[in-house]
Amino acid sequence: MNESDIRERFRMFVGRDAPRNLVIHSDTTEFMGIERDHVIQIEGRWFAVQGNAYEGRFGIDDQPKFWVKSTVDLADGSRKFLKLVFLEEMISTLGPLTYRCMRSPEKEALILDIMSGDRRFMQGCSLKDDRGNIVRVLDFIKGMNVYQYLTSLKIPHPEYFEKHFPGLFARMISSVEAIALLHRNNVCHGDIRNDHILIEKHTGDFRWIDFDLRQVSLDFDVWSLGNIIFLVAAHEDVTFHRLERGEIPGALRTEITSEDSLAFFPHRVANLQKLFPYIPDNLNRILMKYSTRALNGLNQYKTVFALLDDLKACCADNGFDNCPLITVDPLNPMGNGAY
């Protein structure tokens, strides 16, 4: 594609003229220098940069990810995220445990390859720029993350649990099955969080994103899944502090102790049945496997497969598998989405 072609497609798909001094990058190493209306050329594909992606974690949409560019594919006008190489090292924390980890474009490219076509994961491909950097080209997903969606449902827990929980629980089990499939390939997600599952608008499908962190153990995924299960069951962040302040509608005033807390998130209550007695026994047993009591007794989940077996049994025993999946409420519009 020559410069004239680029300008024509830029005008067609972006909706405005390209800059007079058109900047084209075939080396993405210095990603801080790649700006709006620049063009990235990789392996014969051309992308017009529209800006940086944002973290959008827990309702905070002002944390730019300078290594992730929002772009328009000049081949067809589709929206793509280009995730550039950023070899950040960090410490991941899970309660009292700490892990040193780093971003691995190779690992994320591998998952994109082996999970191609599996809609429980973000979809895309990996390309190499002129310097050999692995660039992940990711499809845009319209929707909002699980945390945003659940906390946007301003209803008491009894209504939530009756109307919304069964369909969400079935979706969550499908997401855990997806992680189990990764583990069968001896690959971990590495960064399981409530904001790393998007609920896709129109379909309502749960989709995993952001799996470029490399962890030393698959256990990190298993333990992190406890927080996902907790939020789907609780509907909102049920903490000891909020209970004391009377901020959890529908929760019983009952005695709870430190052993009722989530082991790796001790400010949250694992023993939800004490607060909401209609929660089934087998669901509460799953939650309590992530509690401080279970950790002290060495009774926590060791593999994702054991967790999945219990989730499926709970779903079938309580008839959740026969409940229709909820549809996205058009009066509760979804967010801008992500990759």
Side-chain angles (χ1 to χ4, degrees), residues 9-282:
R9 289 175 176 269
F10 195 108
R11 187 182 307 110
M12 179 188 307
F13 294 130
V14 179
R16 61 179 181 275
D17 288 338
R20 178 177 299 177
N21 297 318
L22 187 62
V23 179
I24 300 175
H25 300 270
S26 57
D27 174 3
T28 61
T29 305
E30 302 297 331
F31 54 78
M32 293 294 290
I34 301 177
E35 301 176 356
R36 177 180 170 86
D37 289 345
H38 289 189
V39 172
I40 297 175
Q41 182 272 321
I42 322 170
E43 292 192 26
R45 297 180 64 177
W46 307 76
F47 303 90
V49 176
Q50 301 301 289
N52 300 306
Y54 285 79
E55 181 69 23
R57 189 177 187 187
F58 306 139
I60 301 174
D61 291 324
D62 58 355
Q63 301 178 49
K65 300 172 77 170
F66 297 106
W67 65 99
V68 183
K69 305 298 181 182
S70 175
T71 74
V72 173
D73 189 336
L74 294 182
D76 58 10
S78 60
R79 187 170 178 182
K80 303 289 185 185
F81 285 97
L82 266 59
K83 200 168 184 181
L84 311 179
V85 172
F86 177 39
L87 299 179
E88 176 186 29
E89 293 192 26
M90 66 191 77
I91 299 295
S92 290
T93 60
L94 195 62
L97 305 180
T98 59
Y99 295 85
R100 182 175 297 277
C101 57
M102 68 176 296
R103 296 191 184 277
S104 171
E106 293 85 2
K107 178 222 171 188
E108 190 163 61
L110 171 65
I111 295 178
L112 285 173
D113 182 44
I114 62 178
M115 296 303 165
S116 178
D118 190 328
R119 299 285 295 176
R120 296 172 297 185
F121 295 88
M122 68 182 187
Q123 295 292 292
C125 66
S126 59
L127 305 173
K128 287 188 177 181
D129 69 13
D130 286 357
R131 284 283 297 274
N133 294 307
I134 298 175
V135 177
R136 284 129 292 155
V137 181
L138 306 172
D139 296 344
F140 177 77
I141 303 171
K142 181 70 172 178
M144 66 166 60
N145 67 54
V146 165
Y147 181 87
Q148 292 170 324
Y149 181 75
L150 290 177
T151 55
S152 73
L153 297 173
K154 306 298 184 182
I155 55 177
H157 190 273
E159 181 182 352
Y160 163 77
F161 200 79
E162 178 184 359
K163 295 181 179 179
H164 293 265
F165 172 79
L168 287 166
F169 189 60
R171 280 185 172 88
M172 185 199 67
I173 290 175
S174 179
S175 294
V176 176
E177 282 183 317
I179 298 301
L181 182 57
L182 278 185
H183 285 202
R184 287 192 188 98
N185 285 277
N186 201 34
V187 181
C188 68
H189 181 292
D191 199 12
I192 287 177
R193 303 188 325 213
N194 290 316
D195 59 327
H196 283 171
I197 303 181
L198 294 186
I199 303 180
E200 188 174 31
K201 190 174 183 179
H202 305 306
T203 69
D205 291 340
F206 278 27
R207 303 187 63 182
W208 289 109
I209 65 169
D210 248 356
F211 27 76
D212 61 338
L213 284 190
R214 187 171 60 207
Q215 300 287 358
V216 297
S217 171
L218 298 177
D219 293 345
F220 195 87
D221 280 356
V222 181
W223 296 328
S224 298
L225 283 168
N227 198 36
I228 307 284
I229 298 165
F230 160 80
L231 186 64
V232 172
H235 165 223
E236 57 185 314
D237 210 10
V238 178
T239 66
F240 287 84
H241 179 68
R242 294 189 68 208
L243 284 169
E244 290 172 1
R245 294 169 60 91
E247 295 177 354
I248 309 297
L252 295 181
R253 297 295 184 113
T254 186
E255 182 180 352
I256 51 177
T257 70
S258 60
E259 285 202 333
D260 294 318
S261 67
L262 284 172
F264 300 113
F265 304 92
H267 62 293
R268 297 185 175 120
V269 180
N271 197 349
L272 292 178
Q273 196 178 56
K274 277 192 173 183
L275 309 176
F276 312 112
Y278 44 82
I279 286 184
D281 290 342
N282 49 8

